[in-house]
Amino acid sequence: MFKLASSFPMCAVWGNLINMSVLLNRSIQENRELRIESRIEEIIEPLREKIRDLEKSFTQKYPPVKFLSEKDRKRILVTGGAGFVGSHLTDKLMMDGHEVTVVDNFFTGRKRNVEHWIGHENFELINHDVVEPLYIEVDQIYHLASPASPPNYMYNPIKTLKTNTIGTLNMLGLAKRVGARLLLASTSEVYGDPEVHPQTEDYWGHVNPIGPRACYDEGKRVAETMCYAYMKQEGVEVRVARIFNTFGPRMHMNDGRVVSNFILQALQGEPLTVYGSGSQTRAFQYVSDLVNGLVALMNSNVSSPVNLGNPEEHTILEFAQLIKNLVGSGSEIQFLSEAQDDPQKRKPDIKKAKLMLGWEPVVPLEEGLNKAIHYFRKELEYQANNQYIPKPKPARIKKGRTRHN
Ligand SMILES: O=C(O)[C@H]1O[C@H](OP(=O)(O)OP(=O)(O)OC[C@H]2O[C@@H](n3ccc(=O)[nH]c3=O)[C@H](O)[C@@H]2O)[C@H](O)[C@@H](O)[C@@H]1O
């Protein structure tokens, strides 16, 4: 009796203990499962995000494109179409509803500049160097292919000369064969270090034919000569745009021209490098103004050269101060030695463009600069955050020659 009576509460205690330990085990188990689940969630969420991004890129949405009837839609070739100006021009022509073929050798152009059109039925991208002949059917040719920034065109002067001479001959030959109209992207550099100010189209220029800039200046001058020889001898319709200093988004980070240099230096707190005293002048136009001018010229009946630029002139030093202020940067200004044959003043006379094309720049300098600053700020963030951005490759040197000969 006593045994039974005393063993009864012991059984109850054991029973409770067992229940408690089962409960404890269960809650430990549940806790562990919860922790594992949340850990898995932590790992999976970024993967889900990547999949969502990939899905988005598969169902790519293109910028809106106008519908043009067969009669109005043109087949347009843009050489250098993946470059800074070329890619903005391609955007306009695509959005206007034309069929656009971009040809680029990607020396200074980048696929990223036109990637938003890849796969569109009106768009084609060809990796081709205009120094080699090209056989396609087109109605209009915008011939922009050539490095334009002084460090780029001086990097390989022979290649710059070939691009502007043989490349232009090839494109004029194509224009002649298929009956296309060709617009040459010429430059304010045909005026050299000008003795006439502002520069009008009838000024013949002041160019050093054997200086470091000659490969580009003389290359473009002979390209203009070729256009008019083809016009007179072969009846090819030509348009010649003399483009003055232009800036905007999609300039290459290593472009080396003053706008991208100053903005990047100001954003990174580095000294702004002014070559010489900074008293030399330039007038800067925003890229969308230039693109509108190019299209207006192509579709006009003006076959003689036309200046396209913004006549608002500043010294380079004023320009450095302005960029510093707009960025809100504490960078210093550093004076370096003057570049050889650097034009001391430049400002377009644009009366002809106003009168004959009804064109003039409309984007104020500060507004354009703020857009460019925003672009370069994003590019710097992109470079800092993106593991996959390709680092610029050093040029492959083969038997003393650079690769773009
Ligand atoms: O931007 C353009 O569209 C033009 O640029 C260049 O002509 P350039 O006027 O010499 O262009 P930059 O290299 O931007 O130089 C402008 C001025 O700033 C100066 N500069 C440049 C870079 C820099 O870091 N610091 C600096 O003081 C140069 O010495 C020059 O006096 C090209 O040669 C033209 O074909 C082109 O049309």
Side-chain angles (χ1 to χ4, degrees):
M1 226 11 228
F2 171 77
K3 257 189 178 171
L4 255 176
S6 66
S7 69
F8 178 68
M10 280 306 285
C11 282
V13 170
W14 276 115
N16 280 344
L17 276 176
I18 288 165
N19 280 346
M20 274 169 65
S21 106
V22 167
L23 282 175
L24 195 66
N25 267 341
R26 198 177 293 157
S27 97
I28 289 171
Q29 180 78 9
E30 278 173 2
N31 243 338
R32 193 177 296 149
E33 279 169 10
L34 268 177
R35 276 210 309 275
I36 292 172
E37 265 173 32
S38 82
R39 182 79 195 104
I40 290 173
E41 197 54 33
E42 262 172 40
I43 296 169
I44 282 181
E45 189 42 37
L47 292 175
R48 277 205 198 105
E49 205 161 302
K50 280 207 170 132
I51 290 169
R52 276 196 294 269
D53 283 351
L54 272 176
E55 278 172 354
K56 250 191 250 164
S57 72
F58 285 139
T59 53
Q60 181 166 2
K61 289 200 173 51
Y62 299 103
V65 163
K66 265 191 219 157
F67 174 78
L68 285 183
S69 66
E70 199 67 30
K71 177 173 70 71
D72 296 325
R73 193 184 320 141
K74 295 208 159 48
R75 298 161 304 170
I76 302 177
L77 167 64
V78 183
T79 74
F84 157 53
V85 173
S87 64
H88 286 283
L89 174 64
T90 296
D91 285 353
K92 172 153 178 64
L93 297 171
M94 283 294 295
M95 290 194 278
D96 284 351
H98 299 290
E99 287 174 24
V100 180
T101 301
V102 162
V103 158
D104 211 298
N105 69 353
F106 303 105
F107 174 45
T108 54
R110 288 178 300 173
K111 289 200 182 94
R112 248 180 92 202
N113 289 343
V114 288
E115 69 179 355
H116 48 285
W117 294 116
I118 289 172
H120 192 287
E121 59 181 320
N122 288 353
F123 179 77
E124 198 173 348
L125 176 62
I126 304 177
N127 185 340
H128 177 88
D129 193 318
V130 291
V131 166
E132 305 299 330
L134 180 70
Y135 300 95
I136 57 172
E137 291 289 326
V138 283
D139 305 307
Q140 292 185 339
I141 302 169
Y142 287 87
H143 179 38
L144 274 63
S146 171
S149 139
N152 286 336
Y153 66 63
M154 289 182 207
Y155 165 76
N156 190 340
I158 297 171
K159 179 66 187 175
T160 302
L161 279 164
K162 283 186 180 172
T163 304
N164 283 295
T165 54
I166 303 171
T168 303
L169 274 180
N170 282 334
M171 291 308 109
L172 283 162
L174 173 66
K176 178 188 148 192
R177 269 197 306 278
V178 300
R181 180 180 289 180
L182 180 141
L183 181 147
L184 171 72
S186 185
T187 170
S188 57
E189 297 235 7
V190 299
Y191 303 122
D193 188 7
E195 293 152 318
V196 166
H197 193 73
Q199 293 77 55
T200 44
E201 287 88 349
D202 53 9
Y203 175 48
W204 289 357
H206 180 225
V207 171
N208 173 0
I210 55 168
R213 302 176 85 98
C215 56
Y216 185 69
D217 300 8
E218 297 289 18
K220 287 290 186 187
R221 284 165 69 95
V222 79
E224 288 195 10
T225 310
M226 287 170 177
C227 284
Y228 294 107
Y230 268 76
M231 184 176 95
K232 283 176 196 135
Q233 194 176 321
E234 304 290 350
V236 172
E237 286 190 22
V238 297
R239 305 287 179 261
V240 173
R242 291 190 178 149
I243 301 173
F244 283 65
N245 295 64
T246 306
F247 71 96
R250 300 194 194 144
M251 286 182 97
H252 203 289
M253 301 267 275
N254 303 328
D255 182 279
R257 272 178 284 191
V258 74
V259 179
S260 47
N261 275 9
F262 283 177
I263 294 178
L264 284 167
Q265 288 161 343
L267 285 172
Q268 293 173 298
E270 289 167 6
L272 272 64
T273 51
V274 170
Y275 304 157
S277 66
S279 60
Q280 68 272 38
T281 66
R282 292 293 187 274
F284 293 94
Q285 74 181 325
Y286 189 66
V287 64
S288 60
D289 282 334
L290 170 62
V291 163
N292 290 335
L294 291 173
V295 174
L297 176 59
M298 173 65 104
N299 297 308
S300 74
N301 52 14
V302 186
S303 57
S304 54
V306 179
N307 288 340
L308 295 178
N310 189 325
E312 189 186 318
E313 186 184 9
H314 290 277
T315 67
I316 292 301
L317 193 54
E318 282 166 5
F319 199 61
Q321 294 288 3
L322 176 62
I323 290 185
K324 242 174 72 111
N325 293 345
L326 290 176
V327 171
S329 161
S331 291
E332 289 172 4
I333 290 182
Q334 184 184 23
F335 291 90
L336 300 178
S337 53
E338 189 181 322
Q340 193 189 332
D341 291 349
D342 196 6
Q344 288 309 294
K345 47 192 181 310
R346 188 185 286 159
K347 168 184 165 147
D349 180 312
I350 58 165
K351 278 190 216 86
K352 187 170 175 182
K354 275 189 190 167
L355 185 74
M356 317 266 287
L357 309 178
W359 173 90
E360 65 182 313
V362 293
V363 181
L365 179 62
E366 289 198 11
E367 188 184 317
L369 281 175
N370 280 327
K371 287 184 184 168
I373 290 167
H374 176 76
Y375 170 79
F376 282 114
R377 198 172 260 135
K378 291 261 164 244
E379 280 292 283
L380 286 172
E381 277 169 26
Y382 183 76
Q383 288 223 338
N385 298 335
N386 200 320
Q387 303 297 316
Y388 305 107
I389 190 161
K391 297 267 178 299
K393 285 186 201 142
R396 269 189 286 142
I397 310 285
K398 207 174 160 191
K399 286 189 187 160
R401 283 183 158 201
T402 42
R403 60 189 279 235
H404 283 278
N405 273 328

